[in-house]
Amino acid sequence: MAKWGEGDPRWIVEQRADATNVNNWHWTERDATSWSSDKIKNLMLAVRLESEEGTCEVTEVGKLDGEASINNRKGKLIFFYEWDIKLNWTGVSKSGVKYKGYVEIPNLSDENDPSEVEIKVTLAKDEPDTNLIGLMRTQGVHHIREAVAQYISTLKTEFTQGMILPTENGVSHSEVPPIKQKAEKNTPQTSKIKACQNTGVKIPTCKLTLKETFLTSPQELYSVLTQQELVQGFTHAPASLTAEKGGKFQLLGGNVTGEFVELVSCKYLQNYAK
């Protein structure tokens, strides 16, 4: 059993700054729904404007349905948020007459830029016409859109603190510096040393063989595994391949790569199936 602090490779994870998620490789998720709800309410309730016509302000967040989360995969943050918002606003004219209305934001989501978010301003039922509705549809919408942009900005900066874990000394251990090779004739001993330098810590491996049974004809199976369009349909992901001996293939968006070692004809497969 190795002792703590002696630098044994078996302790490499415990000694790293990012030991809980080495090199930020694993998928981690943080729920931002509650935080987002509070942030949106605070930003919207701060909307207030005035002009020669009078004053308008958002007085209540009547509806706030949705969710938000942030995912970290391989050191990259992926944001998801989708909200259906309804605000109550109150206007007071210069003569002191009060008016009530609503602001609807039916789809505040990560698919739209703040400038593209739909914002609808209306008067409450039975309210008389007023120039304040025009004020809300111009300056009011502008202020609400700024609040939306501020929410998205703080979600991507303030709330994400600590999601991407630092590596030891701020350096990613996945980046191995290149080893300069001297131009010299290798002896068996020097070749062995260089092989160890390039390999690093030895990890036990094993050979894995899989056997699958497909309930289809040999010809259809051959086509599904060798035609790019059918491969993409079968895996439900991007793929590229060259179906010939020695040809390369990439499946599942590049997460699986390999080479065709041998391709057996459909005719042979049909005979084999008999």
Side-chain angles (χ1 to χ4, degrees), residues 69-263:
S69 62
I70 305 175
N71 299 290
N72 170 23
R73 178 69 170 103
K74 299 181 181 180
K76 180 180 179 181
L77 295 179
I78 303 171
F79 299 88
F80 169 80
Y81 51 90
E82 187 171 12
W83 297 99
D84 183 5
I85 306 171
K86 187 173 183 179
L87 312 173
N88 298 342
W89 66 272
T90 300
V92 181
S93 67
K94 286 296 184 180
S95 61
V97 180
K98 291 185 178 181
Y99 300 87
K100 295 182 179 180
Y102 307 104
V103 177
E104 293 183 71
I105 309 174
N107 187 24
L108 169 57
S109 71
D110 54 286
E111 297 180 353
N112 299 317
D113 186 82
S115 62
E116 301 171 338
V117 174
E118 182 182 3
I119 302 176
K120 298 186 291 186
V121 179
T122 59
L123 277 170
K125 187 178 180 181
D126 298 330
E127 288 288 327
D129 290 336
T130 172
N131 291 333
L132 293 178
I133 187 69
L135 179 64
M136 278 297 296
R137 286 175 175 170
T138 53
Q139 295 185 37
V141 167
H142 175 72
H143 282 71
I144 292 172
R145 204 176 294 281
E146 286 185 337
V148 168
Q150 188 174 348
Y151 158 66
I152 297 173
S153 176
T154 53
L155 175 67
K156 294 183 177 182
T157 54
E158 178 182 321
F159 188 78
T160 57
Q161 294 296 319
M163 284 202 67
I164 298 184
L165 302 172
T167 56
E168 186 179 5
N169 298 324
V171 179
S172 173
H173 286 264
S174 63
E175 298 177 358
V176 181
I179 300 175
K180 295 182 179 180
Q181 301 285 354
K182 293 183 179 180
E184 60 181 4
K185 184 177 181 180
N186 290 333
T187 63
Q189 184 64 27
T190 58
S191 298
K192 182 178 180 180
I193 293 174
K194 290 183 179 181
C196 292
Q197 291 175 338
N198 290 331
T199 303
V201 179
K202 289 186 177 181
I203 300 175
T205 60
C206 63
K207 183 178 180 181
L208 180 65
T209 302
L210 298 177
K211 183 178 180 180
E212 297 288 347
T213 301
F214 296 91
L215 302 178
T216 185
S217 66
Q219 184 174 0
E220 290 179 341
L221 178 60
Y222 186 88
S223 299
V224 166
L225 298 178
T226 57
Q227 295 183 24
Q228 181 171 323
E229 296 79 6
L230 297 179
V231 171
Q232 293 181 149
F234 176 64
T235 60
H236 300 287
S240 63
L241 57 95
T242 303
E244 59 184 32
K245 187 174 182 178
K248 307 292 184 181
F249 63 81
Q250 292 186 347
L251 309 179
L252 302 174
N255 290 308
V256 177
T257 61
E259 176 182 323
F260 287 102
V261 177
E262 183 178 0
L263 281 82

Side-chain angles (χ1 to χ4, degrees), residues 21-74:
N21 190 358
V22 177
N23 291 325
N24 300 283
W25 185 261
H26 300 293
W27 184 287
T28 58
E29 181 175 343
R30 179 181 292 180
D31 186 6
T33 302
S34 179
W35 179 91
S36 295
S37 180
D38 292 339
K39 177 63 68 173
I40 291 173
K41 288 179 180 179
N42 291 336
L43 290 171
M44 294 303 175
L45 291 175
V47 173
R48 189 178 189 280
L49 51 141
E50 61 180 286
S51 71
E52 297 178 353
E53 302 295 336
T55 61
C56 294
E57 63 179 329
V58 175
T59 56
E60 183 183 1
V61 179
K63 177 182 178 182
L64 184 57
D65 295 337
E67 59 181 324
S69 62
I70 305 175
N71 299 290
N72 170 23
R73 178 69 170 103
K74 299 181 181 180

